[in-house]
């Protein structure tokens, strides 16, 4: 099965700085990589995703990059704000399959 | 709001009782996934269902846990004879299974506490 590893487990940045979270996966057949943001006591919310036919995708302050050869993908948040503080999960999936989640990164943005 | 609905949001059960968790997918979605999240841990897949079919139950414990998604009504995750280790947040997610089939949208979760 698929194995997704996520680093770091905790990350603190100053407001306005960038944050980068990295994930690796093991199954070369995985072709869909979503990122979820989960605030304390809330549901995971999809914030951005990327498919394996794309190397990079950007949505305002959030971007995701994918390196299929190396089997890793990363989330980049620029100009961080306190409301970006949350736990972020990466996942990998194949069509019609379950999501394999990373263990999460707790991001704290210090005002 | 046609988002994923789950109820109850909080459920307290004594050891040995049964827990029933319900999930109504987003309108137009026919694929449901159940995940379990232990405190300060990630999301672990339990089961994937389509209407009247279990597609993948590889993440379900072999005993005490069952799931269904009937032709009419919500998907139900049933835990029999609950134990303290079952205390967790249980999330369901739904997907359309067509077009942008990969996206899964999560419900608010049911927080189960076993006393």
């Amino acid at each position: 099965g698929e194995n997704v590893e996520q680093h770091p487990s905790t990350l603190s940045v100053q407001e306005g700085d960038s944050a980068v979270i990295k994930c690796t996966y093991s199954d070369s057949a995985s072709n869909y990589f979503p990122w979820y943001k989960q605030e304390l006591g809330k549901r995971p919310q999809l914030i951005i995703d990327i498919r394996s036919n794309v190397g990079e995708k950007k949505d305002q302050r959030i971007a995701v990059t994918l390196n299929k050869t190396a089997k890793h993908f990363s989330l980049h948040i620029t100009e961080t704000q306190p409301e970006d503080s949350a736990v972020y999960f990466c996942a990998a999936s194949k069509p019609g399959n379950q999501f394999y989640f990373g263990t999460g990164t707790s991001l704290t943005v210090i005002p | 709001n046609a988002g994923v609905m789950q109820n109850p949001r909080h459920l307290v059960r004594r050891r040995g009782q049964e827990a029933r968790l319900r999930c109504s997918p987003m309108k137009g979605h026919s694929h449901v996934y159940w995940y379990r999240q232990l405190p300060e841990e990630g999301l672990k897949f339990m089961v994937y269902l389509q209407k009247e079919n279990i597609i993948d139950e590889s993440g379900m414990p072999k005993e005490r846990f069952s799931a269904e998604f009937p032709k009419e009504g919500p998907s139900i995750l049933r835990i029999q004879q609950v134990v303290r280790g079952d205390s967790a947040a249980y999330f369901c997610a739904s997907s359309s299974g067509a077009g942008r089939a990969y996206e899964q949208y999560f419900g608010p979760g049911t927080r189960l506490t076993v006393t």
Side-chain angles (χ1 to χ4, degrees):
Chain A
E2 175 65 274
N3 180 45
V4 177
E5 296 188 356
Q6 183 172 348
H7 300 280
S9 57
T10 60
L11 179 61
S12 292
V13 299
Q14 290 292 134
E15 183 177 358
D17 286 351
S18 295
V20 180
I21 303 170
K22 298 182 179 182
C23 289
T24 61
Y25 62 99
S26 60
D27 189 345
S28 56
S30 291
N31 61 358
Y32 176 63
F33 308 92
W35 286 88
Y36 285 83
K37 175 184 180 182
Q38 187 178 30
E39 297 175 0
L40 189 63
K42 302 284 183 66
R43 75 183 78 191
Q45 291 199 305
L46 177 67
I47 56 171
I48 196 167
D49 56 14
I50 192 167
R51 290 172 171 78
S52 60
N53 58 342
V54 176
E56 184 174 356
K57 183 177 179 181
K58 190 172 182 181
D59 183 3
Q60 300 182 335
R61 296 186 296 109
I62 295 173
V64 57
T65 59
L66 170 66
N67 183 327
K68 280 199 69 181
T69 303
K71 297 199 196 73
H72 66 70
F73 55 112
S74 301
L75 177 71
H76 305 252
I77 306 174
T78 58
E79 300 173 21
T80 53
Q81 301 168 2
E83 51 265 39
D84 294 330
S85 295
V87 179
Y88 291 81
F89 292 98
C90 64
S93 176
K94 295 179 285 192
N97 271 262
Q98 56 162 298
F99 284 5
Y100 293 87
F101 282 90
T103 49
T105 296
S106 178
L107 173 65
T108 301
V109 179
I110 304 165
Chain B
N1 185 344
V4 181
M5 306 293 290
Q6 286 187 252
N7 67 81
R9 295 290 304 278
H10 300 273
L11 183 60
V12 180
R13 284 287 179 265
R14 291 200 180 103
R15 278 181 297 170
Q17 291 185 319
E18 178 179 290
R20 277 181 178 247
L21 288 61
R22 296 175 200 78
C23 169
S24 296
M26 281 180 73
K27 189 175 181 181
H29 285 190
S30 58
H31 298 237
V32 167
Y33 304 78
W34 284 93
Y35 295 87
R36 177 163 63 177
Q37 186 174 38
L38 293 169
E40 299 187 14
E41 290 193 12
L43 294 145
K44 299 293 185 186
F45 167 78
M46 300 182 73
V47 61
Y48 163 32
L49 310 105
Q50 295 179 24
K51 286 282 187 181
E52 299 184 279
N53 283 304
I54 297 175
I55 307 302
D56 181 356
E57 56 182 347
S58 58
M60 287 276 271
K62 293 288 187 283
E63 297 177 350
R64 302 188 298 108
F65 285 72
S66 62
E68 62 176 5
F69 190 13
K71 186 176 180 181
E72 301 291 338
S75 175
I76 296 175
L77 179 67
R78 183 182 177 206
I79 311 172
Q80 295 178 290
Q81 300 175 329
V82 296
V83 301
R84 288 224 171 99
D86 296 332
S87 295
Y90 292 83
F91 290 94
C92 79
S94 73
S95 171
S96 65
R100 296 177 70 80
Y102 306 148
E103 295 170 1
Q104 292 183 19
Y105 296 93
F106 282 80
T110 294
R111 279 149 186 84
L112 172 65
T113 302
V114 179
T115 62

